[in-house]
Amino acid sequence: MNISDIAVAEYVEVDVDERLAKVRSIFERENPKGIVVVEDGEYAGVVGEKQLMRSRMEDDTKVSAVMKPAPSVDRHEDVRETARLLVEGDVKIAPVYEGEKLYGIVTVDQILEAVIDSLDAITVAQIATEDVIGIGETESVGRAINRLRENGVSRLPVLDDEGDLVGVVTTNDIVEFVVRDQERQGSGDRAGDIDRMLDIPVYDIMSSPVVTATNDETAQAVVQRMFDNDVSGLVVTPEGADTVAGMVTKTDVLRALTFTEEDSMDVQITNVDLLEGTSREHIVESIEQVADKYAEMQVIHAHVRLHAHKEKLRGTPLIQCQIRLRTNEGQVGGSGEGYGAEHAFHVALDKLERNVLEIKGVNADEEYRGQLLRKLGEL
């Protein structure tokens, strides 16, 4: 399937010199999945909710300061390749070209709507993220914003003092709260307003009750639930429990569309533009070497996510790297930070290797235990 019937010619377009005040009002009024930014009539980038969360930006800031480059897609591109481009670019929208002419846009939702009937063979357990970052209900909005930025995520489960799930706070919740508050307050002491908003407890702006999923559900069922509830992710909980077991998002489902049935390892890199000082080939080879240390472990898919912090050392940014392998033994991952992508990747790779070897040790122990029990049964 290609995207010729998925891409649409209707999209919201703003100039690079447009003020953020107008962009915020567009998000509130039209709730678009993204906005195409143009310069002198030519495509320049896109703006999504994540870009609005980057910093405490004034309304007079130009949209060029927050726009993000997104990979362009040919109108007749394959859906699998389009999904890969969106995931690796860490965007929800991409410009679609017909020849050299900007035809329109394609979004994550448009792709998922087109393929939803084929998602019944994928389960939540196969694609959900198990290591989930949460936040306490009494912690501040400022702390939530920092946690969202530092971990490169768009939603946080909100927990009470007992660790039970009571809500979810997302970038969208915070953007809507800021916009509503600014409209209500009008002009005034902007710095004071921001400080006050940052001190408000997460409980006051979180979404509740939480829309959840379980590990045994299909991707088809959870995507439909996301559409029905107008959310982009669900908290995974054990059946009948309020604890957090994982998170499944539209991006996770989109990533599953890129899984291949080939013998070679399928490796996907989010924020591939941060790969300075290393290469995709080096990353693939390094992950394969770790996986090969345990021959019985078959890696179906590998996902490497890079996220840049503001901190720098002699001009080199602090990078967070997360590696997650989907294998026939379940999911295994590793994460780490370092200055530059290469350093961060190898820190995460070392952690991944320790975790892979731990699985090897646990399985070896279980095999030995089974042999011992059989021996004792023969006595």
Side-chain angles (χ1 to χ4, degrees):
M1 178 191 294
N2 61 36
I3 63 166
S4 58
D5 296 323
I6 300 175
V8 297
E10 297 81 21
Y11 55 92
V12 178
E13 181 180 297
V14 298
D15 189 81
V16 289
D17 292 326
E18 190 59 76
R19 297 185 311 119
L20 285 185
K22 182 173 181 178
V23 176
R24 289 190 176 114
S25 67
I26 290 174
F27 268 107
E28 184 186 21
R29 184 177 66 252
E30 303 182 31
N31 193 29
K33 298 304 178 184
I35 294 177
V36 173
V37 183
V38 297
E39 184 174 15
D40 297 328
E42 298 293 325
Y43 165 72
V46 296
V47 175
E49 291 171 352
K50 283 187 179 181
Q51 282 69 57
L52 291 180
M53 293 294 297
R54 267 197 202 164
S55 61
R56 306 175 188 181
M57 297 167 291
E58 297 292 334
D59 284 347
D60 287 336
T61 304
K62 292 182 179 179
V63 72
S64 57
V66 298
M67 72 179 184
K68 182 171 184 177
S72 60
V73 180
D74 185 87
R75 190 182 173 191
H76 302 287
E77 183 61 85
D78 177 76
V79 166
R80 183 191 297 272
E81 177 62 13
T82 303
R84 185 188 68 79
L85 289 170
L86 285 169
V87 172
E88 293 202 338
D90 194 25
V91 291
K92 300 292 189 294
I93 174 178
V96 176
Y97 280 83
E98 191 163 41
E100 296 183 358
K101 180 181 178 182
L102 180 60
Y103 167 79
I105 61 168
V106 62
T107 68
V108 170
D109 280 2
Q110 289 162 357
I111 293 176
L112 293 179
E113 286 172 354
V115 303
I116 191 168
D117 290 340
S118 64
L119 298 176
D120 58 344
I122 304 171
T123 66
V124 170
Q126 292 174 317
I127 61 175
T129 300
E130 296 174 342
D131 298 327
V132 180
I133 307 297
I135 192 165
E137 62 182 343
T138 59
E139 294 188 73
S140 68
V141 170
R143 178 70 61 85
I145 291 174
N146 286 337
R147 201 158 294 175
L148 288 165
R149 287 179 186 156
E150 289 168 359
N151 294 280
V153 295
S154 60
R155 63 194 55 248
L156 301 171
V158 182
L159 311 176
D160 63 17
D161 291 340
E162 284 71 43
D164 289 336
L165 178 68
V166 294
V168 171
V169 63
T170 68
T171 56
N172 186 56
D173 293 328
I174 297 174
V175 169
E176 287 187 354
F177 168 71
V178 171
V179 171
R180 287 197 310 269
D181 192 84
Q182 288 179 348
E183 287 183 345
R184 185 170 58 250
Q185 295 293 328
S187 60
D189 182 2
R190 178 60 55 82
D193 289 344
I194 290 176
D195 290 340
R196 180 184 53 78
M197 287 187 286
L198 294 180
D199 288 337
I200 290 175
V202 168
Y203 180 85
D204 287 346
I205 69 167
M206 71 182 188
S207 300
S208 182
V210 186
V211 185
T212 62
T214 57
N215 274 317
D216 58 352
E217 290 188 275
T218 66
Q220 181 185 49
V222 298
V223 167
Q224 188 59 58
R225 192 171 305 145
M226 292 179 202
F227 286 153
D228 292 343
N229 291 276
D230 193 25
V231 295
S232 59
L234 305 177
V235 179
V236 181
T237 60
E239 191 72 45
D242 291 327
T243 55
V244 177
M247 183 77 73
V248 60
T249 67
K250 289 178 181 176
T251 300
D252 292 323
V253 181
L254 196 70
R255 186 178 298 117
L257 297 179
T258 70
F259 293 172
T260 66
E261 301 298 329
E262 301 172 0
D263 292 335
S264 59
M265 184 186 298
D266 178 32
V267 178
Q268 194 172 80
I269 304 171
T270 297
N271 290 326
V272 68
D273 56 303
L274 295 176
L275 275 187
E276 194 171 328
T278 187
S279 65
R280 173 188 288 275
E281 292 73 20
H282 173 69
I283 285 179
V284 173
E285 181 181 348
S286 299
I287 293 176
E288 286 179 339
Q289 288 175 355
V290 169
D292 288 346
K293 290 188 176 182
Y294 186 37
E296 290 82 358
M297 176 179 286
Q298 177 188 354
V299 177
I300 302 167
H301 178 77
H303 177 221
V304 178
R305 180 184 177 85
L306 302 170
H307 175 69
H309 295 297
K310 289 184 177 180
E311 182 181 341
K312 292 184 178 181
L313 178 65
R314 292 190 289 275
T316 302
L318 179 65
I319 302 288
Q320 178 190 58
C321 178
Q322 299 170 322
I323 307 173
R324 187 175 68 175
L325 305 185
R326 177 176 173 246
T327 80
N328 61 331
E329 300 286 342
Q331 292 187 18
V332 60
S335 62
E337 293 184 343
Y339 289 98
E342 184 174 16
H343 182 201
F345 170 69
H346 282 284
V347 173
L349 189 70
D350 288 342
K351 182 63 180 295
L352 174 70
E353 182 170 358
R354 290 197 296 272
N355 291 339
V356 168
L357 293 176
E358 183 177 333
I359 290 178
K360 176 180 178 180
V362 168
N363 288 347
D365 289 345
E366 289 179 353
E367 182 178 350
Y368 173 75
R369 183 172 179 271
Q371 293 172 348
L372 181 59
L373 289 174
R374 285 193 295 273
K375 289 287 186 182
L376 290 174
E378 293 170 0
L379 297 177

